[in-house]
Coordinates of all heavy atoms in Angstrom, one line a residue:
M13 N 65.8 130.7 79.5 CA 66.8 130.7 78.4 C 68.1 131.4 78.9 O 68.0 132.4 79.5 CB 66.2 131.4 77.2 CG 67.1 131.3 76.0 SD 66.2 131.8 74.5 CE 67.1 133.3 74.1
T14 N 69.2 130.8 78.5 CA 70.5 131.4 79.0 C 71.0 132.5 78.0 O 70.9 132.3 76.8 CB 71.6 130.3 79.0 OG1 71.1 129.3 79.9 CG2 72.8 130.8 79.6
E15 N 71.4 133.6 78.6 CA 71.9 134.7 77.8 C 73.3 134.5 77.4 O 74.1 133.9 78.2 CB 71.8 136.0 78.6 CG 72.2 137.2 77.9 CD 72.2 138.4 78.9 OE1 71.9 138.3 80.1 OE2 72.6 139.5 78.4
R16 N 73.7 134.8 76.2 CA 75.1 134.7 75.8 C 75.7 136.1 75.9 O 75.1 137.1 75.6 CB 75.2 134.3 74.3 CG 74.5 133.0 74.0 CD 75.3 131.8 74.5 NE 76.5 131.6 73.8 CZ 77.4 130.7 74.1 NH1 77.2 129.9 75.1 NH2 78.6 130.6 73.4
I17 N 77.0 136.1 76.4 CA 77.7 137.4 76.6 C 79.0 137.3 75.9 O 79.6 136.2 75.7 CB 77.8 137.7 78.1 CG1 78.6 136.7 78.8 CG2 76.5 137.9 78.7 CD1 79.4 137.2 79.9
T18 N 79.6 138.4 75.7 CA 80.9 138.5 75.0 C 81.9 139.3 75.9 O 81.5 140.4 76.4 CB 80.8 139.1 73.6 OG1 79.9 138.3 72.9 CG2 82.1 139.1 72.9
F19 N 83.1 138.9 76.0 CA 84.1 139.6 76.7 C 85.4 139.4 76.0 O 85.5 138.5 75.1 CB 84.2 139.2 78.2 CG 84.7 137.8 78.4 CD1 86.1 137.6 78.7 CD2 83.9 136.7 78.3 CE1 86.5 136.3 78.9 CE2 84.3 135.5 78.5 CZ 85.6 135.2 78.8
T20 N 86.5 140.2 76.3 CA 87.8 139.9 75.7 C 88.8 139.5 76.7 O 88.7 139.9 77.9 CB 88.3 141.2 75.0 OG1 88.5 142.2 75.9 CG2 87.3 141.7 73.9
F21 N 89.7 138.6 76.2 CA 90.8 138.2 77.0 C 92.1 138.4 76.2 O 92.1 137.8 75.1 CB 90.7 136.7 77.5 CG 91.8 136.2 78.2 CD1 92.2 136.8 79.5 CD2 92.6 135.2 77.7 CE1 93.3 136.3 80.2 CE2 93.7 134.7 78.4 CZ 94.0 135.2 79.7
N22 N 92.9 139.2 76.6 CA 94.1 139.6 75.8 C 93.8 140.0 74.4 O 94.4 139.5 73.4 CB 95.1 138.4 75.9 CG 95.7 138.2 77.2 OD1 95.7 139.1 78.1 ND2 96.2 137.0 77.5
D23 N 92.7 140.8 74.3 CA 92.2 141.4 73.1 C 91.6 140.4 72.1 O 91.3 140.7 71.0 CB 93.3 142.1 72.3 CG 93.8 143.4 73.1 OD1 93.0 144.0 73.7 OD2 95.0 143.6 73.1
K24 N 91.4 139.1 72.6 CA 90.7 138.2 71.8 C 89.2 138.0 72.3 O 89.1 138.0 73.5 CB 91.4 136.8 71.8 CG 90.8 135.7 70.9 CD 91.6 134.5 71.0 CE 90.9 133.3 70.2 NZ 91.5 132.0 70.4
E25 N 88.3 138.0 71.5 CA 86.9 137.9 71.9 C 86.4 136.5 72.2 O 86.7 135.5 71.5 CB 86.0 138.5 70.8 CG 84.6 138.9 71.2 CD 83.9 139.8 70.2 OE1 83.2 139.2 69.3 OE2 84.1 141.0 70.2
F26 N 85.7 136.4 73.4 CA 85.2 135.1 73.8 C 83.7 135.3 74.1 O 83.3 136.3 74.6 CB 85.9 134.6 75.1 CG 87.3 134.2 74.9 CD1 88.3 135.1 74.9 CD2 87.6 132.8 74.6 CE1 89.6 134.7 74.7 CE2 88.9 132.4 74.4 CZ 89.9 133.3 74.4
T27 N 82.9 134.2 73.8 CA 81.5 134.2 74.1 C 81.2 133.1 75.1 O 81.8 132.0 74.9 CB 80.7 134.1 72.8 OG1 81.0 135.1 71.9 CG2 79.2 134.1 73.1
C28 N 80.3 133.3 76.1 CA 80.0 132.3 77.0 C 78.6 132.5 77.5 O 77.9 133.5 77.1 CB 81.0 132.3 78.2 SG 80.8 133.8 79.3
E29 N 78.1 131.6 78.3 CA 76.8 131.7 78.9 C 76.8 132.6 80.1 O 77.8 132.6 80.9 CB 76.2 130.4 79.3 CG 76.0 129.5 78.1 CD 75.4 128.1 78.5 OE1 75.1 127.9 79.7 OE2 75.3 127.3 77.6
S30 N 75.8 133.4 80.4 CA 75.8 134.3 81.6 C 75.8 133.4 82.8 O 75.3 132.3 82.8 CB 74.6 135.2 81.6 OG 73.4 134.4 81.6
G31 N 76.6 133.8 83.8 CA 76.7 133.0 85.0 C 78.0 132.2 85.1 O 78.4 131.8 86.2
Q32 N 78.7 132.1 84.0 CA 80.0 131.4 84.0 C 81.0 132.3 84.6 O 81.0 133.5 84.3 CB 80.4 131.0 82.6 CG 79.7 129.7 82.1 CD 80.3 129.3 80.8 OE1 80.3 130.0 79.8 NE2 81.0 128.1 80.8
S33 N 82.0 131.7 85.3 CA 83.1 132.5 85.7 C 84.0 132.8 84.5 O 83.9 132.1 83.5 CB 83.9 131.8 86.8 OG 84.6 130.7 86.3
I34 N 84.9 133.8 84.6 CA 85.8 134.1 83.5 C 86.7 132.9 83.3 O 86.9 132.5 82.1 CB 86.6 135.3 83.9 CG1 85.8 136.6 83.9 CG2 87.8 135.5 82.9 CD1 86.5 137.8 84.5
A35 N 87.2 132.3 84.3 CA 88.1 131.1 84.2 C 87.3 130.0 83.5 O 87.8 129.3 82.6 CB 88.6 130.7 85.5
A36 N 86.1 129.7 83.9 CA 85.3 128.6 83.3 C 85.1 128.9 81.8 O 85.2 128.0 81.0 CB 84.0 128.4 84.1
A37 N 84.7 130.1 81.5 CA 84.5 130.5 80.1 C 85.7 130.3 79.3 O 85.7 129.8 78.2 CB 84.0 131.9 80.1
L38 N 86.9 130.7 79.8 CA 88.1 130.6 79.0 C 88.5 129.1 78.9 O 88.9 128.7 77.8 CB 89.2 131.4 79.7 CG 89.0 132.9 79.6 CD1 90.1 133.6 80.5 CD2 89.1 133.4 78.2
I39 N 88.4 128.3 79.9 CA 88.7 126.9 79.8 C 87.8 126.2 78.9 O 88.2 125.4 78.0 CB 88.6 126.2 81.2 CG1 89.7 126.8 82.2 CG2 88.8 124.7 81.1 CD1 91.1 126.6 81.8
A40 N 86.5 126.5 78.9 CA 85.5 125.9 78.0 C 85.9 126.3 76.5 O 85.5 125.5 75.6 CB 84.1 126.4 78.3
A41 N 86.5 127.4 76.3 CA 86.9 127.8 75.0 C 88.3 127.3 74.6 O 88.9 127.7 73.7 CB 86.8 129.3 74.9
D42 N 88.8 126.4 75.5 CA 90.1 125.7 75.3 C 91.3 126.7 75.4 O 92.3 126.6 74.7 CB 90.2 125.0 73.9 CG 91.1 123.8 74.0 OD1 91.4 123.3 75.1 OD2 91.6 123.4 72.9
N43 N 91.1 127.8 76.2 CA 92.2 128.7 76.4 C 92.6 128.5 77.9 O 92.1 129.0 78.8 CB 91.6 130.2 76.3 CG 92.8 131.2 76.4 OD1 93.3 131.7 75.5 ND2 93.3 131.4 77.7
R44 N 93.6 127.6 78.0 CA 94.0 127.1 79.3 C 95.0 128.1 80.0 O 95.1 128.0 81.3 CB 94.6 125.7 79.3 CG 93.5 124.8 78.7 CD 93.9 123.3 79.0 NE 92.7 122.5 78.7 CZ 91.7 122.3 79.6 NH1 91.8 122.7 80.8 NH2 90.7 121.5 79.3
E45 N 95.8 128.8 79.3 CA 96.8 129.6 80.0 C 96.2 131.0 80.3 O 95.8 131.8 79.5 CB 98.0 129.8 79.0 CG 99.1 130.6 79.7 CD 100.3 130.8 78.8 OE1 100.7 129.8 78.2 OE2 100.7 132.0 78.7
L46 N 96.2 131.3 81.6 CA 95.6 132.5 82.1 C 96.6 133.6 82.4 O 96.4 134.8 82.3 CB 94.8 132.3 83.4 CG 93.6 131.3 83.2 CD1 93.0 131.0 84.6 CD2 92.6 131.8 82.3
R47 N 97.8 133.1 82.7 CA 98.9 134.1 83.0 C 100.2 133.3 83.0 O 100.2 132.1 82.8 CB 98.8 134.7 84.4 CG 98.9 133.8 85.5 CD 98.8 134.5 86.9 NE 98.9 133.6 88.0 CZ 100.1 133.3 88.6 NH1 101.2 134.0 88.2 NH2 100.1 132.5 89.6
K48 N 101.3 134.0 83.2 CA 102.6 133.4 83.3 C 103.2 133.8 84.6 O 102.9 134.9 85.1 CB 103.6 133.8 82.2 CG 103.2 133.2 80.8 CD 104.3 133.4 79.8 CE 103.9 132.9 78.4 NZ 103.8 131.4 78.3
T49 N 104.1 133.0 85.2 CA 104.7 133.3 86.5 C 105.7 134.4 86.3 O 106.3 134.6 85.3 CB 105.4 132.1 87.1 OG1 106.4 131.6 86.2 CG2 104.4 131.0 87.5
R50 N 105.8 135.2 87.4 CA 106.8 136.4 87.3 C 108.2 135.9 87.2 O 109.0 136.4 86.4 CB 106.6 137.2 88.6 CG 107.1 138.6 88.5 CD 106.9 139.4 89.7 NE 105.9 138.8 90.7 CZ 105.8 139.3 91.9 NH1 106.6 140.2 92.3 NH2 105.0 138.7 92.7
F51 N 108.5 134.8 87.9 CA 109.9 134.2 87.8 C 109.8 132.9 87.0 O 109.0 132.0 87.4 CB 110.4 134.0 89.2 CG 110.5 135.2 90.0 CD1 109.6 135.4 91.1 CD2 111.4 136.2 89.8 CE1 109.6 136.6 91.8 CE2 111.4 137.4 90.5 CZ 110.5 137.6 91.5
G52 N 110.5 132.8 86.0 CA 110.5 131.5 85.2 C 109.5 131.6 84.0 O 109.6 130.7 83.1
N53 N 108.6 132.5 84.0 CA 107.7 132.7 82.8 C 106.9 131.4 82.5 O 106.7 131.0 81.4 CB 108.5 133.1 81.6 CG 107.6 134.0 80.7 OD1 106.7 134.7 81.1 ND2 107.9 133.9 79.4
E54 N 106.5 130.7 83.6 CA 105.8 129.4 83.4 C 104.3 129.7 83.3 O 103.7 130.5 84.0 CB 106.0 128.5 84.6 CG 107.5 128.1 84.8 CD 107.9 127.1 83.7 OE1 107.1 126.4 83.1 OE2 109.1 127.2 83.3
P55 N 103.6 128.9 82.4 CA 102.1 129.1 82.3 C 101.4 128.7 83.5 O 101.7 127.7 84.2 CB 101.8 128.3 81.1 CG 102.9 127.2 81.0 CD 104.1 127.9 81.6
R56 N 100.3 129.4 83.8 CA 99.4 129.0 84.9 C 97.9 129.0 84.4 O 97.6 129.8 83.6 CB 99.5 130.0 86.1 CG 100.8 129.8 86.9 CD 100.8 128.5 87.6 NE 102.0 128.3 88.3 CZ 103.1 127.6 87.8 NH1 103.1 127.1 86.6 NH2 104.1 127.4 88.6
S57 N 97.2 128.1 85.0 CA 95.7 128.0 84.7 C 95.0 127.9 86.0 O 95.5 128.2 87.1 CB 95.5 126.8 83.8 OG 94.2 126.8 83.3
I58 N 93.8 127.3 86.0 CA 93.0 127.0 87.2 C 93.7 125.9 87.9 O 94.2 124.9 87.3 CB 91.6 126.6 86.8 CG1 90.8 127.8 86.3 CG2 90.9 126.0 88.0 CD1 89.4 127.4 85.9
F59 N 93.9 126.0 89.2 CA 94.4 124.9 90.1 C 93.3 124.5 91.0 O 92.8 123.4 91.0 CB 95.7 125.4 90.8 CG 96.3 124.3 91.6 CD1 96.8 123.1 91.0 CD2 96.3 124.3 93.0 CE1 97.3 122.1 91.7 CE2 96.8 123.3 93.7 CZ 97.4 122.2 93.1
C60 N 92.9 125.4 91.9 CA 91.9 125.0 92.9 C 90.4 125.2 92.4 O 89.5 124.5 92.7 CB 92.1 125.7 94.2 SG 91.7 127.5 94.2
G61 N 90.2 126.3 91.7 CA 88.9 126.6 91.2 C 87.9 127.2 92.2 O 86.8 127.4 91.9
I62 N 88.4 127.4 93.4 CA 87.5 127.9 94.5 C 88.1 129.1 95.2 O 87.7 129.4 96.3 CB 87.2 126.8 95.5 CG1 88.5 126.2 96.1 CG2 86.3 125.8 94.8 CD1 88.2 125.2 97.2
G63 N 89.1 129.8 94.6 CA 89.5 131.1 95.2 C 90.6 131.0 96.2 O 90.8 132.0 96.9
I64 N 91.3 129.9 96.3 CA 92.3 129.7 97.3 C 93.7 129.9 96.8 O 94.6 130.6 97.5 CB 92.2 128.4 98.0 CG1 90.8 128.3 98.7 CG2 93.3 128.1 99.0 CD1 90.5 126.9 99.3
C65 N 94.0 129.4 95.7 CA 95.5 129.3 95.2 C 96.0 130.6 94.5 O 97.2 130.8 94.4 CB 95.6 128.1 94.3 SG 94.9 128.3 92.7
F66 N 95.2 131.4 93.9 CA 95.5 132.6 93.2 C 96.3 132.3 91.9 O 96.9 133.1 91.3 CB 96.4 133.5 94.1 CG 95.5 134.3 95.1 CD1 95.1 133.6 96.2 CD2 95.2 135.6 94.9 CE1 94.3 134.3 97.2 CE2 94.4 136.2 95.9 CZ 94.0 135.6 97.0
D67 N 96.3 131.0 91.4 CA 96.9 130.7 90.2 C 96.2 131.4 89.0 O 96.8 131.6 87.9 CB 97.0 129.2 89.9 CG 98.3 128.6 90.4 OD1 99.1 129.3 91.0 OD2 98.5 127.4 90.1
C68 N 95.0 131.7 89.2 CA 94.1 132.2 88.0 C 94.0 133.7 88.0 O 93.2 134.2 87.3 CB 92.8 131.6 88.2 SG 91.8 132.2 89.6
V69 N 94.9 134.5 88.7 CA 94.7 135.9 88.7 C 94.9 136.5 87.3 O 95.7 136.1 86.6 CB 95.6 136.6 89.7 CG1 95.3 136.2 91.2 CG2 97.1 136.3 89.4
V70 N 94.0 137.5 87.1 CA 94.0 138.3 85.9 C 93.7 139.8 86.2 O 93.4 140.1 87.4 CB 93.0 137.8 84.9 CG1 93.3 136.4 84.4 CG2 91.6 137.8 85.5
E71 N 93.8 140.6 85.2 CA 93.4 142.0 85.4 C 92.0 142.1 84.7 O 91.9 141.7 83.5 CB 94.4 142.9 84.7 CG 94.0 144.4 84.9 CD 95.1 145.3 84.2 OE1 96.3 145.2 84.5 OE2 94.6 146.1 83.3
I72 N 91.1 142.7 85.4 CA 89.7 142.8 84.9 C 89.3 144.3 84.9 O 89.3 144.9 85.9 CB 88.7 142.0 85.7 CG1 89.1 140.5 85.8 CG2 87.3 142.2 85.1 CD1 88.3 139.7 86.8
D73 N 89.1 144.8 83.7 CA 88.7 146.2 83.5 C 89.6 147.1 84.3 O 89.2 148.1 85.0 CB 87.2 146.4 84.0 CG 86.2 145.7 83.0 OD1 86.6 145.5 81.8 OD2 85.1 145.4 83.5
G74 N 90.9 146.8 84.2 CA 91.9 147.7 84.8 C 92.2 147.4 86.3 O 93.1 148.1 86.8
V75 N 91.5 146.5 86.9 CA 91.8 146.2 88.3 C 92.6 144.9 88.3 O 92.2 143.8 87.9 CB 90.4 146.0 89.0 CG1 90.7 145.6 90.5 CG2 89.6 147.2 88.9
A76 N 93.8 145.0 88.9 CA 94.7 143.9 89.0 C 94.4 142.9 90.0 O 93.6 143.1 90.9 CB 96.1 144.4 89.2
N77 N 95.0 141.7 89.9 CA 94.9 140.6 90.9 C 93.5 140.1 91.2 O 93.1 140.0 92.4 CB 95.6 141.1 92.2 CG 97.1 141.4 91.9 OD1 97.7 140.7 91.2 ND2 97.6 142.4 92.6
Q78 N 92.7 139.9 90.2 CA 91.3 139.4 90.4 C 91.4 137.9 90.1 O 91.9 137.5 89.1 CB 90.4 140.1 89.4 CG 90.3 141.6 89.6 CD 89.8 142.0 90.9 OE1 88.7 141.6 91.3 NE2 90.6 142.7 91.7
R79 N 90.8 137.1 91.0 CA 90.7 135.7 90.7 C 89.6 135.3 89.7 O 88.5 135.5 90.1 CB 90.5 135.0 92.1 CG 91.8 135.0 93.0 CD 91.5 134.6 94.4 NE 90.7 135.7 95.0 CZ 90.3 135.6 96.3 NH1 90.5 134.6 97.0 NH2 89.6 136.6 96.8
S80 N 90.1 134.9 88.6 CA 89.1 134.7 87.5 C 88.2 133.5 87.7 O 87.1 133.4 87.1 CB 89.8 134.5 86.2 OG 90.7 133.3 86.2
C81 N 88.5 132.6 88.7 CA 87.6 131.5 89.0 C 86.4 132.0 89.9 O 85.4 131.3 90.0 CB 88.4 130.4 89.7 SG 88.9 130.8 91.4
L82 N 86.5 133.2 90.4 CA 85.5 133.7 91.3 C 84.6 134.8 90.7 O 83.6 135.2 91.2 CB 86.1 134.3 92.6 CG 86.8 133.3 93.5 CD1 87.3 133.9 94.7 CD2 85.9 132.1 93.9
V83 N 85.1 135.4 89.6 CA 84.4 136.5 89.0 C 83.6 136.1 87.8 O 84.1 135.5 86.9 CB 85.5 137.6 88.5 CG1 84.7 138.8 87.9 CG2 86.3 138.1 89.7
E84 N 82.3 136.4 87.8 CA 81.4 136.1 86.8 C 81.7 137.0 85.5 O 81.9 138.2 85.7 CB 80.0 136.4 87.2 CG 78.9 136.0 86.2 CD 77.5 136.2 86.8 OE1 77.3 136.0 88.0 OE2 76.6 136.5 86.0
A85 N 81.8 136.3 84.4 CA 82.0 137.1 83.1 C 80.8 138.0 82.9 O 79.6 137.5 83.0 CB 82.2 136.1 82.0
K86 N 81.0 139.2 82.5 CA 80.0 140.1 82.1 C 80.2 140.7 80.7 O 81.3 140.8 80.3 CB 80.0 141.3 83.1 CG 79.7 140.9 84.6 CD 78.3 140.5 84.8 CE 78.0 140.3 86.2 NZ 76.6 139.7 86.4
Q87 N 79.1 141.1 80.1 CA 79.2 141.6 78.8 C 80.2 142.8 78.7 O 80.1 143.7 79.5 CB 77.8 142.1 78.4 CG 77.7 142.7 77.0 CD 78.1 141.7 75.9 OE1 77.7 140.6 75.9 NE2 78.8 142.2 74.9
G88 N 81.1 142.7 77.8 CA 82.0 143.8 77.5 C 83.2 143.9 78.4 O 84.0 144.8 78.3
M89 N 83.4 143.0 79.3 CA 84.5 143.0 80.2 C 85.8 142.9 79.4 O 85.9 142.2 78.4 CB 84.5 141.8 81.2 CG 83.8 142.0 82.4 SD 84.0 140.5 83.4 CE 83.6 141.2 85.0
K90 N 86.8 143.6 79.9 CA 88.1 143.5 79.2 C 89.1 142.9 80.2 O 89.4 143.4 81.3 CB 88.7 144.9 78.9 CG 90.0 144.9 78.2 CD 90.5 146.2 77.7 CE 91.8 146.1 77.1 NZ 92.4 147.3 76.8
V91 N 89.5 141.6 79.9 CA 90.3 140.8 80.8 C 91.7 140.7 80.2 O 91.8 140.4 79.0 CB 89.7 139.4 81.0 CG1 90.5 138.6 82.0 CG2 88.2 139.6 81.5
V92 N 92.7 140.8 80.9 CA 94.1 140.6 80.4 C 94.9 139.8 81.4 O 94.6 139.7 82.6 CB 94.8 141.9 80.1 CG1 94.2 142.7 79.0 CG2 95.0 142.8 81.4
S93 N 95.9 139.1 80.9 CA 96.7 138.3 81.8 C 97.4 139.1 82.8 O 97.8 140.3 82.5 CB 97.8 137.5 81.0 OG 97.2 136.6 80.2
A94 N 97.6 138.6 84.0 CA 98.3 139.4 85.1 C 99.8 139.5 84.7 O 100.3 138.6 84.0 CB 98.2 138.7 86.4
T95 N 100.4 140.6 85.0 CA 101.8 140.8 84.7 C 102.6 140.8 86.0 O 102.1 141.0 87.0 CB 102.0 142.1 83.9 OG1 101.5 143.2 84.6 CG2 101.4 142.0 82.5
Ligands
FES105 S1 92.0 128.7 90.5 FE1 92.7 128.9 92.6 S2 92.1 130.9 93.1 FE2 91.3 130.6 91.1

């Protein structure tokens, strides 16, 4: 049986199955924008999905520049868009 976990992204609560990456959980919840570009303020989401492009970077529990496509969502994580 798959465990359900809850985490927050930009102070909004999301629930997903254990084992999902943060990016996969957010996309599955129809939250496609993970951050905005520093120059131009353009929205970014998953591009490669395998840790190469860095389009999906977020801050996780206070640690900046984490690739959300590679990090498994854990209960109680606090995720925010990269600035
Ligand atoms: S989507 Fe490319 S590094 Fe995460």
